[in-house]
Amino acid sequence: MRWQNDNLEHWLRRACSGDQRAWEQLVDRFGALAFSVARRVGLNDDDASDVHQSVFLALYRNLDRIEDAKSLPRWIATTASREAIRLKRLRSRTINESALAETVSLEDLLASEEAEAETLAEEGASAHQARLALQNLQERCRELASPLYDDEEPSYAEISERLGLPIGAIGPNRARCLDKLRKLLSKEGFFQ
Amino acid sequence: MNKRCDDIREGLVELAHGKESADASEHLISCADCRQLLNEFTALAAALRHPSKTPPLSASAAAKGLMPAPSRRLARLVPVTFSTTRHVGPSTLSFECEEFKVRVQLVRIANETSVLGKVEGFQGVVSTESDSSVIANDGRFEVSLADSEDRSLEFLRTGEVIVVPLEAFFDAESS
């Protein structure tokens, strides 16, 4: 089943009622968001997995407190970033403790971490929203737009061969697809 | 926004992805609308370039295991009444299962089918494959059926899912 924002409320409501299948859908849908944010903080896979588990444990305990399903991606990203930053600090405490005591007050440190967590959460939630919107484009558009974000962007010749599209048509078609995506996201308030 | 703006749309996408476009760059000097568009394409590119990492299967499995599987059972239905005012109004079926009574109406408007109902003796959520509704204090609910394959109601409460097939409903309606 393709996910859309408008059926997130459905799955969240079912999970709230103890439906394990719905809970699994939430884990599948938002697992990468929680894990990616933790990795972005600089944690290794093991620590990021711990953060992932903490996030879903917190969600499980607070399912009935998520009043607006649309806020869930941001909630997950924020919880993940705070937990990841906290874990990163714990991991590096022995190294930085003496320097910390001399140069940074605890209040300043926490304020700085909170600001970093907010930035990471915003970036993570935006990336999640954009990817979800990309999935809702027609397949042809996805095939044209997605390679732009690959680690190694394929050449126009490679895209032309893969999609059976003249090289000269790739740029204009891709621009139209990205414009559709931009308009979709604009309606969701992405650029505000 | 004018025809020239449409013509350089591709160039804006190129610029947003770190490539060069002399035409678009020149046009941007005098066009505030396109500068705004470029900002949006740039924000979009940044979001999509944000790396997405899939968690290890073991992490997903551990998270999924946080919620225990509810007991899941079929309700044994005893139809009480069935009435239909074909072509005029909705069909209505009342039935009882072991511990609660449900009265449901099937309402079709254009291509959409909804189930309106009232349940006695059950508090929780009622759900179909694609829709769900918290049962109101007076027992009323409304959920939509996604397609012809979506033919059951699930009544959910903590630790328990009671599946109520609607086949009897459709069978009675078509006979």
Side-chain angles (χ1 to χ4, degrees):
Chain A
M1 173 178 290
R2 180 179 291 180
W3 268 73
Q4 294 180 338
N5 282 332
D6 56 8
N7 64 18
L8 175 55
E9 190 178 346
H10 165 63
W11 292 110
L12 187 60
R13 192 181 288 140
R14 286 188 64 128
C16 251
S17 302
D19 180 9
Q20 193 192 38
R21 193 163 63 101
W23 170 253
E24 289 178 356
Q25 291 271 0
L26 294 178
V27 173
D28 282 339
R29 186 70 225 173
F30 296 107
L33 173 57
F35 191 74
S36 300
V37 167
R39 292 286 281 116
R40 187 86 167 164
V41 169
L43 298 181
N44 61 30
D45 274 3
D46 285 345
D47 285 346
S49 292
D50 288 345
V51 168
H52 176 276
Q53 183 74 351
S54 297
V55 168
F56 283 102
L57 182 60
L59 178 61
Y60 179 63
R61 287 174 174 161
N62 291 284
L63 270 172
D64 57 349
R65 293 187 184 176
I66 309 284
E67 291 179 356
D68 179 6
K70 285 180 185 161
S71 69
L72 184 58
R74 182 61 190 255
W75 187 94
I76 285 176
T78 302
T79 307
S81 62
R82 285 179 180 155
E83 185 62 19
I85 288 169
R86 190 189 68 83
L87 187 57
K88 188 180 175 189
R89 169 160 43 85
L90 288 174
R91 291 276 185 264
S92 59
R93 190 168 58 181
T94 51
I95 299 168
N96 294 332
E97 203 167 44
S98 57
L100 188 69
E102 289 170 15
T103 58
V104 185
S105 72
L106 183 60
E107 271 185 5
D108 287 345
L109 175 69
L110 293 178
S112 154
E113 284 188 355
E114 184 59 23
E116 186 186 355
E118 281 298 314
T119 302
L120 283 161
E122 190 173 333
E123 289 173 357
S126 293
H128 177 83
Q129 187 181 1
R131 268 194 211 97
L132 194 62
L134 183 62
Q135 290 305 311
N136 285 325
L137 288 183
Q138 289 182 338
E139 188 178 355
R140 188 71 164 174
C141 265
R142 287 202 305 276
E143 288 175 344
L144 270 168
S146 296
L148 270 172
Y149 311 104
D150 289 349
D151 288 339
E152 285 188 25
E153 187 186 335
S155 68
Y156 271 29
E158 288 169 312
I159 295 171
S160 169
E161 189 178 333
R162 192 188 304 166
L163 301 183
L165 199 64
I167 287 178
I170 292 173
N173 278 300
R174 177 185 269 172
R176 272 193 289 276
C177 290
L178 286 169
D179 203 36
K180 275 185 197 168
L181 183 59
R182 183 189 63 78
K183 285 173 180 165
L184 269 177
L185 286 165
S186 188
K187 280 183 190 166
E188 295 177 11
F190 182 86
F191 300 108
Q192 287 167 3
Chain B
M1 197 70 68
N2 52 40
K3 186 177 183 304
R4 176 79 180 127
C5 298
D6 289 337
D7 290 344
I8 59 110
R9 186 72 44 93
E10 185 185 346
L12 294 181
V13 169
E14 297 280 306
L15 289 174
H17 290 83
K19 294 166 188 164
E20 292 184 0
S21 170
D23 282 355
S25 297
E26 187 186 334
H27 175 77
L28 283 171
I29 296 169
S30 59
C31 182
D33 286 342
C34 285
R35 285 198 295 273
Q36 173 63 26
L37 264 186
L38 176 62
N39 287 340
E40 293 186 0
F41 278 128
T42 303
L44 177 56
L48 287 171
R49 278 187 171 142
H50 196 277
S52 176
K53 306 277 185 190
T54 305
L57 286 176
S58 58
S60 291
K64 287 176 181 177
L66 288 168
M67 181 175 282
S71 71
R72 192 176 181 89
R73 62 190 168 89
L74 278 175
R76 287 195 303 169
L77 302 181
V78 181
V80 179
T81 61
F82 177 79
S83 67
T84 181
T85 46
R86 205 176 292 272
H87 307 304
V88 180
S91 306
T92 304
L93 178 69
S94 298
F95 55 83
E96 294 178 9
C97 57
E98 285 166 345
E99 66 250 70
F100 57 87
K101 292 180 183 176
V102 183
R103 180 183 172 88
V104 290
Q105 286 186 334
L106 210 61
V107 180
R108 293 193 177 91
I109 299 173
N111 291 328
E112 294 193 4
T113 304
S114 294
V115 180
L116 275 62
K118 188 169 182 182
V119 57
E120 292 174 35
F122 188 93
Q123 288 184 318
V125 168
V126 62
S127 182
T128 61
E129 186 63 32
S130 61
D131 192 18
S132 55
S133 164
V134 176
I135 296 170
N137 288 337
D138 64 1
R140 290 179 195 278
F141 63 84
E142 177 179 355
V143 284
S144 59
L145 294 174
D147 52 44
S148 58
E149 302 296 312
D150 196 1
R151 288 196 166 191
S152 63
L153 292 178
E154 293 184 354
F155 290 85
L156 300 94
R157 57 188 172 192
T158 306
E160 186 177 38
V161 179
I162 301 170
V163 182
V164 176
L166 293 173
E167 290 299 341
F169 196 153
F170 288 99
D171 291 347
E173 192 185 43
S174 61
S175 63

